[in-house]
Amino acid sequence: MKAPRLQPGDEIRVIAPAGSLFSLTELTIKSAEKKLTALGFNVTFSEHATEHDILGSSSIMSRVKDLHAAFADENVKGILTAIGGFNSNELLPYLDFDLIKRHPKVFCGYSDITALCNAITAKTELLTYVGPHFSSFQMDELQEYQTETFLHATTDEKAFVVSASETWSQDEWYLPNPKRRVFANNWKVYNPAEPVTGTCYGGHLNTFQLLFGTSFQPNLERSILFIENAEEDDYHDFARGLAALLQIVKHPQALLIGRFPKQTKMTEERLLAILSKYPLLREIPVIYDMNFGHTQPIFTIPIGDQASVDTSQKQITFF
């Protein structure tokens, strides 16, 4: 089930189901709001968005209340998470999934928001979006690719194709006047295979694992799996997480891997050694160094949507 497409003039509500909006600078908030306003949207903020405790977040009930309020408000057409964090899975037992299903709307964020996106889709069959946070719209350089793919995912009725951006970077774009280094971009094919079609799930791998074995885990049969690591993870986390994932999903349609931040100490040699452990990964399409996760720019992944993967063209078509 797709939520009604976003249109100019629509209200987008910013909520903070993980880290608090308080952690963002005034510059970030104003810059992100300005960009979204320039796209034609009206930005509002949830009641408890800036509430925060010693862990940098608000209470479970405050976060649940804001999420429910955003879905229930008929004026709100889209919901963006303020930023990531570590604890959005705390909300899952308290969410009113029937309310969410009765009020379908675009819901988007990434990193720790992986738990909410995949769980909401599993429980309601509503498409959700692993894509930019509200704070992501502050970014200047490389924003065009990120915004274009977000709009394709959330405003278009027709299918759209995603391929590699021309350049990428992982510098601290959120700092005032950042000096960024950009590199030529190229998605890399580990295993070429015939084009396949499946259902999109995944996001940040360690967060996605939190759903395994719970009632919030999606049905991952015939899935196209998107996985990536954050700066605080390392290559050991990825290796262990991939093993766990492939024990849950016996035969995915394809495996797509986001580019690793340098802090993970993942090298191409290490990644290829990890992937080579699994005969399965020589049978299905596998692409790595892709534009999603914790380097920039990122494209938006419609969780629960059908997509096809074509390794010969190095592109994904979302339906």
Side-chain angles (χ1 to χ4, degrees), residues 8-118:
D10 280 350
E11 179 179 339
I12 290 180
R13 178 69 53 81
V14 179
I15 67 172
S20 172
L21 187 73
F22 179 82
S23 65
L24 304 181
T25 67
E26 184 177 351
L27 174 63
T28 293
I29 294 170
K30 287 184 176 179
S31 297
E33 186 174 4
K34 182 178 179 181
K35 286 192 176 67
L36 287 165
T37 301
L39 294 174
F41 301 119
N42 175 32
V43 178
T44 60
F45 298 89
S46 62
E47 179 183 357
H48 302 96
T50 59
E51 181 183 310
H52 60 283
D53 57 20
I54 194 171
L55 300 176
S57 186
S58 63
S59 71
I60 290 175
M61 287 301 106
S62 289
R63 287 178 280 152
V64 168
K65 181 179 178 181
D66 282 357
L67 190 148
H68 286 167
F71 272 100
D73 191 331
E74 296 298 335
N75 293 319
V76 174
K77 306 303 180 185
I79 303 169
L80 286 176
T81 55
I83 197 170
F86 70 95
N87 57 353
S88 67
N89 69 312
E90 293 175 345
L91 310 187
L92 299 180
Y94 307 98
L95 293 182
D96 185 341
F97 292 103
D98 289 335
L99 180 150
I100 292 170
K101 190 170 186 175
R102 291 195 307 270
H103 301 276
K105 49 197 65 178
V106 168
F107 179 88
C108 185
Y110 76 105
S111 192
D112 189 63
I113 310 305
T114 294
L116 288 176
C117 287
N118 286 272

Side-chain angles (χ1 to χ4, degrees), residues 289-319:
D289 278 359
M290 298 186 75
N291 285 107
F292 64 92
H294 288 73
T295 64
Q296 293 79 41
I298 61 173
F299 63 78
T300 298
I301 305 164
I303 299 298
D305 201 5
Q306 294 292 297
S308 67
V309 177
D310 187 335
T311 56
S312 66
Q313 298 297 316
K314 297 184 183 179
Q315 65 183 30
I316 310 167
T317 301
F318 294 105
F319 301 113

Side-chain angles (χ1 to χ4, degrees), residues 35-286:
K35 286 192 176 67
L36 287 165
T37 301
L39 294 174
F41 301 119
N42 175 32
V43 178
T44 60
F45 298 89
S46 62
E47 179 183 357
H48 302 96
T50 59
E51 181 183 310
H52 60 283
D53 57 20
I54 194 171
L55 300 176
S57 186
S58 63
S59 71
I60 290 175
M61 287 301 106
S62 289
R63 287 178 280 152
V64 168
K65 181 179 178 181
D66 282 357
L67 190 148
H68 286 167
F71 272 100
D73 191 331
E74 296 298 335
N75 293 319
V76 174
K77 306 303 180 185
I79 303 169
L80 286 176
T81 55
I83 197 170
F86 70 95
N87 57 353
S88 67
N89 69 312
E90 293 175 345
L91 310 187
L92 299 180
Y94 307 98
L95 293 182
D96 185 341
F97 292 103
D98 289 335
L99 180 150
I100 292 170
K101 190 170 186 175
R102 291 195 307 270
H103 301 276
K105 49 197 65 178
V106 168
F107 179 88
C108 185
Y110 76 105
S111 192
D112 189 63
I113 310 305
T114 294
L116 288 176
C117 287
N118 286 272
I120 289 171
T121 296
K123 288 293 192 179
T124 68
E125 299 184 347
L126 171 68
L127 298 191
T128 54
Y129 300 88
V130 169
H133 297 304
F134 166 72
S135 54
S136 303
F137 286 94
Q138 177 201 352
M139 183 174 69
D140 288 325
E141 197 168 3
L142 306 180
Q143 182 64 247
E144 183 178 355
Y145 176 93
Q146 179 170 269
T147 297
E148 180 181 357
T149 58
F150 171 78
L151 293 176
H152 278 312
T154 61
T155 68
D156 287 353
E157 294 286 357
K158 59 184 182 297
F160 65 98
V161 177
V162 171
S163 55
S165 63
E166 291 185 7
T167 57
W168 71 277
S169 176
Q170 65 170 21
D171 292 326
E172 295 172 316
W173 54 269
Y174 46 83
L175 298 176
N177 304 313
K179 294 181 179 179
R180 304 199 68 186
R181 295 168 298 165
V182 297
F183 305 95
N185 194 25
N186 180 35
W187 294 358
K188 298 177 183 177
V189 176
Y190 171 74
N191 188 56
E194 291 298 312
V196 298
T197 300
T199 308
C200 303
Y201 289 107
H204 179 236
L205 179 56
N206 287 7
T207 302
F208 192 41
Q209 287 178 260
L210 300 177
L211 304 181
F212 294 175
T214 74
S215 62
F216 309 107
Q217 177 187 314
N219 179 353
L220 298 174
E221 291 183 18
R222 299 189 60 78
S223 55
I224 293 173
L225 297 173
F226 295 78
I227 58 173
E228 53 91 6
N229 270 180
E231 294 88 346
E232 63 268 22
D233 308 320
D234 68 16
Y235 64 92
H236 300 103
D237 295 312
F238 179 82
R240 297 171 70 189
L242 179 61
L245 179 62
L246 295 179
Q247 290 164 16
I248 293 288
V249 191
K250 301 301 183 185
H251 202 289
Q253 294 294 94
L255 180 68
L256 306 179
I257 304 170
R259 182 176 282 106
F260 293 87
K262 60 186 176 183
Q263 293 90 335
T264 66
K265 299 183 180 178
M266 178 67 83
T267 63
E268 188 167 36
E269 181 181 17
R270 284 173 172 155
L271 177 61
L272 296 179
I274 292 167
L275 299 179
S276 70
K277 296 180 180 184
Y278 303 99
L280 166 67
L281 300 185
R282 293 189 288 275
E283 301 173 10
I284 64 172
V286 179

